[in-house]
Amino acid sequence: METTPLKTGVNGMRDLQKARAAFASNDPELSRHAHAAKVQTLSVEEGHMQSGDYIKSVVFGGLDGILTTFAIVSGATGGGLSTEVILILGFSSKIADALAMGLGDALSTKAEHEHIFNERQREYWEYDNFPEGEVTEMVDMYVAKGMSREDAELCIGLMSEHRDFFVDVMMVEELGLQVPSADDNPWKDGFITFVSFIFFGFFPLLGYCIFPFAFPHLTPHTLFFIACVCTGSTLFLLGAIKSNFSQKTWYMSGLEMLLVGGSVAVISYGIGAATDTILETYFNLNPEAVREQLN
């Protein structure tokens, strides 16, 4: 039997934007207005924000792009490498890592979907061959959650008359798996991760791309400071964007992202500086000679 993604249709739902605003402001009256104002949605799901569908890919790709690129900048600066070498390492690593991240996101999501549809196929088979067992199993689960057996049997009995609906509920209740919707495309997720990685990963290199040519007298430490400012601002911006899809305030979400990225920067710079010292102290290598060869 063929398994398909969640079907879609036009449904009258509450005004979800008003419902979110009511929750944020703790306003029961606004919540009543939200439920009274029916809106038309194109999904059996409760009209979730389309932009929120890809927030994981945007944050995942953006954060990894910023931190990966800035880790290279920090380590190279800590090791005393030239601006040219930092740019070469930064851009080459950014493109390769972005491709790996995008493909990794797409393939992992695709594998997850295949697993879900395989489990759904098994649930269909069990429903078709032993529906009484599936109904009893669901009744027991609802009773365990506090529902009386009489109410559970009535509820599950009604649900079991609708095959697709019953199986999808079984997927969530028994396995904790949400069936993907029809418009859920793993390759689109991967592409968004790739673009987000490239876009946000550019900012740590911004100081090394523009300022050395506009202001040739700037020292490497000044360029690194500019890169830190650009990176910190971008991390804060990404965190602020993420706050639109959570209950955190924009400044707390931005600060959280900034602290995570700052920790990575300190560690990366420390590793670069420590490597420079170890080469000179324990291996009798002249870091200046190594840098000259790399530069």
Side-chain angles (χ1 to χ4, degrees):
M1 180 183 300
E2 181 181 359
T3 58
T4 58
L6 224 52
K7 295 179 181 179
T8 59
V10 177
N11 301 278
M13 297 288 186
R14 62 178 175 175
D15 189 328
L16 195 56
Q17 294 296 332
K18 286 185 178 179
R20 287 194 174 101
F23 174 73
S25 59
N26 193 26
D27 187 344
E29 185 63 27
L30 183 58
S31 178
R32 281 191 285 271
H33 284 300
H35 284 79
K38 297 293 184 180
V39 296
Q40 296 298 311
T41 66
L42 296 177
S43 172
V44 297
E45 298 170 2
E46 194 183 68
H48 58 284
M49 291 184 292
Q50 292 299 317
S51 57
D53 292 348
Y54 303 109
I55 185 62
K56 178 183 75 73
S57 296
V58 171
V59 173
F60 184 44
L63 181 61
D64 202 58
I66 296 170
L67 298 185
T68 299
T69 307
F70 190 67
I72 293 173
V73 171
S74 300
T77 303
L81 298 181
S82 68
T83 300
E84 290 79 7
V85 173
I86 291 174
L87 287 174
I88 292 172
L89 292 175
F91 277 109
S92 61
S93 174
K94 185 174 73 166
I95 298 300
D97 288 343
L99 286 171
M101 287 289 297
L103 289 173
D105 189 13
L107 292 175
S108 62
T109 302
K110 184 173 181 291
E112 181 183 21
H113 288 184
E114 290 172 350
H115 168 66
I116 292 173
F117 288 133
N118 183 62
E119 288 297 311
R120 194 187 191 202
Q121 180 71 53
R122 180 183 58 78
E123 291 291 350
Y124 272 126
W125 183 88
E126 291 181 349
Y127 177 92
D128 292 336
N129 288 276
F130 187 38
E132 298 84 0
E134 294 293 278
V135 169
T136 300
E137 187 177 357
M138 283 284 283
V139 168
D140 290 341
M141 282 191 289
Y142 276 44
V143 169
K145 292 184 177 184
M147 186 179 288
S148 69
R149 181 163 292 276
E150 181 181 356
D151 288 344
E153 288 176 349
L154 176 61
C155 177
I156 301 304
L158 290 173
M159 283 197 298
S160 65
E161 296 176 5
H162 307 276
R163 181 173 178 269
D164 290 339
F165 174 69
F166 181 78
V167 168
D168 286 342
V169 172
M170 280 285 293
M171 293 288 291
V172 175
E173 296 288 358
E174 181 184 10
L175 304 175
L177 299 175
Q178 182 68 50
V179 178
S181 60
D183 59 351
D184 196 350
N185 187 342
W187 295 106
K188 185 181 291 185
D189 292 340
F191 179 73
I192 292 174
T193 298
F194 171 79
V195 172
S196 181
F197 190 107
I198 291 291
F199 176 76
F200 287 102
F202 172 75
F203 288 93
L205 295 171
L206 188 62
Y208 292 92
C209 291
I210 298 175
F211 288 91
F213 304 101
F215 307 97
H217 63 280
L218 293 179
T219 65
H221 290 292
T222 303
L223 293 176
F224 181 63
F225 175 77
I226 294 173
C228 290
V229 172
C230 292
T231 301
S233 301
T234 309
L235 284 168
F236 190 87
L237 175 62
L238 183 61
I241 293 172
K242 183 172 69 71
S243 70
N244 292 318
F245 307 94
S246 70
Q247 292 303 311
K248 288 185 177 180
T249 59
W250 64 270
Y251 53 86
M252 287 302 298
S253 183
L255 183 61
E256 176 188 53
M257 198 76 78
L258 180 60
L259 290 175
V260 171
S263 301
V264 172
V266 170
I267 293 172
S268 300
Y269 185 87
I271 291 175
T275 303
D276 193 61
T277 302
I278 291 172
L279 289 175
E280 183 176 13
T281 305
Y282 297 99
F283 294 93
N284 296 320
L285 294 178
N286 184 355
E288 291 297 332
V290 175
R291 282 193 286 268
E292 287 179 4
Q293 291 181 357
L294 290 173
N295 295 337

